[in-house]
Amino acid sequence: MIALIQRVLEARVTVAGQTVGEIGPGLLALVAVERGDGPANAARMVERLLGYRVFSDEDGRMNRSLTDTRGGLLLVSQFTLAADTAKGTRPSFTPAAAPDVAEHLFNEFVALARRQHTDVATGAFGAEMTVSLVNHGPVTFRLTA
């Protein structure tokens, strides 16, 4: 699993002009499921998202996690993160899990996140989404699990 996370002041996902998920301060995570990923990858990624220290403490150092700040978590499926871009001028999506497999694991991942954190929103799997955000920092990291 791959997650591109951004520390945000706010983020929103719309589908066909309708807001389907939004958060205030917290993390936006664009998430790709790769071939061979399973429940252990999903559990590890939830652990990393909730525990990764990207929020400032009272001294201005990145020492606080999403769990510490009780911020929002917006999870958006994005299979293009799993693309192989090593050669040529067109990405290969061979590393990405098949859509039905990815959707099932992504839904398990979301359910697990919701069991462990109170403020979790999502986009719409497989939909053409518009993602709006205000990146705070800017702070962006790529996580794998």
Side-chain angles (χ1 to χ4, degrees), residues 39-85:
N41 300 93
R44 177 67 177 134
M45 186 59 78
V46 168
E47 179 184 327
R48 296 202 74 202
L49 289 174
L50 298 180
Y52 211 64
R53 297 182 304 168
V54 299
F55 297 95
S56 299
D57 63 14
E58 46 286 333
D59 295 324
R61 301 185 71 147
M62 287 188 192
N63 277 326
R64 299 184 75 211
S65 69
L66 192 62
T67 298
D68 296 331
T69 64
R70 298 183 182 167
L73 178 60
L74 179 54
L75 302 173
V76 179
S77 63
Q78 187 174 352
F79 79 96
T80 61
L81 283 175
D84 179 355
T85 60

Side-chain angles (χ1 to χ4, degrees), residues 102-118:
E103 183 174 17
H104 179 75
L105 188 57
F106 184 80
N107 289 338
E108 285 184 21
F109 168 70
V110 170
L112 183 58
R114 286 184 168 146
R115 284 194 297 273
Q116 296 182 39
H117 194 71
T118 57

